Amino acid sequence: MIFLCLISIVLLIFFIYKNLNSRSIFFLCALTIGWILAYISFTLYLSNFNYYYKLVNQFFGFSPRTWNRLVLIYFNTNTLIRLFNFGIILFYFSFLSYSISFVSSLKANRRQRNIYITLGLIGICQFLFYDPSLNLLFQNYIVNAGILPQYQKFTHAADMLFQVVNIAYLLISFSLFIYHYILYYRLRYIRDHILFNLISLIPLTFVHLFIFYWAPSNFVRTTFSNSYINYLQPSINLYLLEYRFFPLIAFLAIGIMIFNVYKYKSNEARYSNINIITKKKIDTASLGIRAFTHAIKNHLLAIRSESEYLQEKFADDEEALYSLKLIMDSCEQSFQSINEANDKLKQITLKIKAAPLNIPVERAIERFHPNKLHVNIHYEKPYSHINVFIDEDQIQEAIYNILKNSIEALASRNGDIWVQISEVDQWGTVTIRDNGPGIDSENVNEIFTPFFSTKPSITNWGIGLSFCHKVITGHGGKIEVTSEKGKSTQFDILLPLVKRV
């Protein structure tokens, strides 16, 4: 068991090394390392003094032979105490730091750094307060000075304070996750990601508090002889629960975590499959439309050619010229629609660079003239620039298509459209919501399919949203739609943030 834990630490350190660009991953691995370190050093400390064999056997399943070997091996007791307290403190520090880094952006702003530094200083204070050598030094001085009662009151108060601080770390962490979940509930991808983390951390926290609710702790007491140190038994509460049930509880906690990983991965796979199917439909439609438009263009060219001939032949007939002009205009509009369809479904070349997300959004909104609109567009400008990796022109066109789609949906009513830009985790998000008629639930997963449309229109080819899907996913982003029939439709676009170190 111990060797498996050591191997786990090595693997986690390697994992951290490969993912140092993400603070969330760093703190998550540090959290796990801290817990494993506390687990190992706690077990070795107990074996050093042959404490609680029956209890430890119920916890960890040691055979008598393994336990005897551990008892006979010498481990420096002070080092084990330091490692144990360091592991516990690292667990609490990393738990809160992980939640802070998860719910905040990847930008390392000064305020966030100050929070980490403050938490680190509190952790260092805890570590020094429980350090065995420092405790022995102070205890010898206190005994010689004759102020032992005052010292005991102080240490008891400080110990209670640090225990409260550590529990507060856990409560604040879960509060941040819950608040973040409620705040971004409409963003399905973000919501599922938060829920996965929240439910996975609950069993780990329960198991930790089940074993180490009393830690960190001071394990040393001074005696009349400086050469003899009184090492204390850990404060394990025997009435808490029957410890023989601990393996079952641990197994259940791990099972919940594995189930949540499975559910999260299943949702990710489902989303990925939808994207793959949509991409195949777009690629197939692209091939089909090229053959179709080639044939239809030939017919349109023939119609236009005959119309030009008739315009020359009936140059004096105003009614005929008027009708022929309508035919020519219709041909031109058809040519324009065909070219737009070709442009939107052909292979897109992206010129990606770091740029503020609000620029293409504002340009797309400006393309609609307020005086000619029957809807109100409410744009909430972000307080600061949210920099993302994008092709500004293509993103502008994608936003324009979604806005145009919302305006067309509101054609029969005077409605409202809300546009909001925000920053969630490693994403820059654009949310476009209207109070239109909504989309039928059976059509929600089909709206990105080429030529699918619920709007009866001669000029509407049903490829605008397919183009949006192709552009957004081409940026490594995500596009989601949620709709309530008769109430509203919301599009959420997620684009990768520019990481700042």
Side-chain angles (χ1 to χ4, degrees):
M1 183 71 73
I2 298 296
F3 294 108
L4 286 176
C5 291
L6 290 173
I7 292 171
S8 300
I9 289 179
V10 172
L11 291 175
L12 284 169
I13 291 172
F14 175 76
F15 188 65
I16 289 175
Y17 175 75
K18 299 294 288 184
N19 294 274
L20 282 175
N21 58 328
S22 172
R23 289 198 309 277
S24 295
I25 292 293
F26 179 87
F27 287 127
L28 183 61
C29 293
L31 179 155
T32 310
I33 289 173
W35 197 89
I36 292 174
L37 192 62
Y39 166 88
I40 294 172
S41 52
F42 176 66
T43 305
L44 295 178
Y45 178 83
L46 293 179
S47 70
N48 240 20
F49 302 99
N50 201 13
Y51 287 149
Y52 299 129
Y53 166 68
K54 290 184 178 180
L55 187 61
V56 173
N57 186 46
Q58 290 178 11
F59 263 94
F60 308 118
F62 284 119
S63 66
R65 181 180 297 178
T66 304
W67 181 256
N68 290 334
R69 285 179 181 176
L70 289 176
V71 171
L72 295 174
I73 297 173
Y74 172 75
F75 298 101
N76 185 281
T77 308
N78 285 354
T79 302
L80 291 177
I81 294 171
R82 290 191 183 99
L83 289 175
F84 173 75
N85 288 330
F86 175 76
I88 294 295
I89 293 166
L90 181 63
F91 175 84
Y92 287 114
F93 166 79
S94 300
F95 203 105
L96 182 55
S97 298
Y98 172 66
S99 64
I100 292 171
S101 63
F102 182 87
V103 302
S104 60
S105 79
L106 291 179
K107 293 187 293 185
N109 53 54
R110 182 175 297 179
R111 181 184 176 186
Q112 204 167 321
R113 283 197 299 269
N114 290 339
I115 292 174
Y116 295 140
I117 291 170
T118 303
L119 294 177
L121 291 174
I122 294 173
I124 291 171
C125 291
Q126 282 199 69
F127 183 77
L128 295 175
F129 177 77
Y130 293 110
D131 183 78
S133 297
L134 290 177
N135 268 278
L136 290 172
L137 183 66
F138 280 116
Q139 287 176 26
N140 287 327
Y141 171 78
I142 294 300
V143 170
N144 294 330
I147 51 174
L148 185 59
Q150 293 88 333
Y151 173 76
Q152 289 175 338
K153 288 181 181 179
F154 167 76
T155 54
H156 177 72
D159 184 59
M160 290 294 294
L161 175 64
F162 285 133
Q163 296 293 340
V164 170
V165 167
N166 291 334
I167 296 300
Y169 282 1
L170 298 179
L171 294 176
I172 292 170
S173 299
F174 283 115
S175 298
L176 287 173
F177 278 114
I178 293 169
Y179 172 76
H180 204 63
Y181 178 82
I182 295 171
L183 185 64
Y184 297 106
Y185 181 80
R186 286 183 171 271
L187 292 173
R188 184 175 56 189
Y189 175 79
I190 301 297
R191 180 189 67 208
D192 292 346
H193 192 39
I194 296 169
L195 190 62
F196 157 72
N197 279 273
L198 183 61
I199 297 179
S200 295
L201 286 173
I202 288 173
L204 179 63
T205 306
F206 176 79
V207 172
H208 171 80
L209 292 176
F210 187 85
I211 306 174
F212 300 129
Y213 67 95
W214 45 270
S217 181
N218 179 23
F219 287 92
V220 294
R221 288 289 184 272
T222 187
T223 63
F224 292 104
S225 174
N226 292 332
S227 61
Y228 178 77
I229 302 170
N230 185 18
Y231 289 101
L232 306 178
Q233 293 185 17
S235 177
I236 298 178
N237 243 333
L238 298 178
Y239 64 84
L240 182 64
L241 275 175
E242 284 287 344
Y243 283 98
R244 62 173 177 268
F245 294 123
F246 174 77
L248 180 62
I249 295 170
F251 179 78
L252 181 63
I254 294 169
I256 293 172
M257 294 178 72
I258 291 173
F259 176 75
N260 279 284
V261 170
Y262 167 76
K263 290 292 292 182
Y264 179 74
K265 292 297 181 184
S266 297
N267 290 336
E268 282 288 279
R270 178 177 171 275
Y271 183 85
S272 179
N273 287 335
I274 291 173
N275 283 342
I276 291 170
I277 292 169
T278 303
K279 185 178 183 300
K280 286 181 178 179
K281 289 179 180 178
I282 293 172
D283 292 340
T284 303
S286 181
L287 293 172
I289 200 171
R290 281 200 290 269
F292 169 74
T293 55
H294 178 73
I296 202 73
K297 274 185 175 181
N298 289 336
H299 292 294
L300 289 171
L301 284 170
I303 294 170
R304 188 171 68 177
S305 178
E306 289 298 318
S307 298
E308 289 174 350
Y309 168 73
L310 292 173
Q311 278 181 333
E312 292 177 3
K313 187 173 181 178
F314 299 100
D316 297 329
D317 190 337
E318 291 185 2
E319 290 186 3
L321 288 175
Y322 177 76
S323 297
L324 290 168
K325 184 177 182 302
L326 291 177
I327 294 172
M328 294 285 287
D329 291 343
S330 180
C331 286
E332 288 300 321
Q333 288 179 4
S334 298
F335 275 122
Q336 185 177 352
S337 297
I338 289 169
N339 290 331
E340 286 179 0
N342 269 323
D343 290 339
K344 287 180 178 178
L345 290 179
K346 71 181 182 181
Q347 189 68 29
I348 299 172
T349 302
L350 299 175
K351 299 176 182 177
I352 294 178
K353 63 178 182 179
L357 183 54
N358 61 293
I359 291 177
V361 173
E362 290 169 6
R363 287 176 181 171
I365 294 173
E366 288 169 1
R367 290 169 65 177
F368 298 97
H369 299 288
N371 296 333
K372 297 181 180 180
L373 286 179
H374 57 276
V375 301
N376 300 313
I377 299 178
H378 308 277
Y379 170 57
E380 187 176 331
K381 191 171 182 177
Y383 294 109
S384 59
H385 286 313
I386 299 173
N387 293 321
V388 290
F389 288 112
I390 55 171
D391 181 322
E392 289 186 48
D393 294 334
Q394 298 289 2
I395 291 296
Q396 179 192 152
E397 190 65 27
I399 300 294
Y400 174 80
N401 274 276
I402 295 174
L403 288 171
K404 183 181 176 184
N405 194 72
S406 295
I407 290 170
E408 290 175 356
L410 292 164
S412 60
R413 63 174 79 180
N414 293 324
D416 295 278
I417 299 173
W418 293 269
V419 182
Q420 183 181 10
I421 299 173
S422 60
E423 199 174 312
V424 184
D425 200 19
Q426 72 268 35
W427 305 99
T429 68
V430 181
T431 300
I432 300 172
R433 180 170 61 89
D434 64 62
N435 57 355
I439 305 170
D440 291 325
S441 57
E442 62 268 19
N443 294 331
V444 170
N445 291 331
E446 297 293 331
I447 62 171
F448 298 116
T449 302
F451 308 117
F452 176 84
S453 178
T454 57
K455 299 188 291 292
S457 173
I458 298 173
T459 58
N460 180 41
W461 288 60
I463 57 173
L465 292 179
S466 300
F467 168 78
C468 295
H469 185 278
K470 193 167 187 176
V471 169
I472 301 302
T473 54
H475 282 77
K478 301 176 185 293
I479 180 168
E480 300 175 349
V481 59
T482 52
S483 183
E484 292 183 64
K485 186 64 179 175
K487 291 184 178 180
S488 66
T489 300
Q490 178 171 312
F491 287 87
D492 295 299
I493 298 170
L494 289 77
L495 295 164
L497 280 173
V498 177
K499 298 176 184 177
R500 294 181 182 175
V501 181

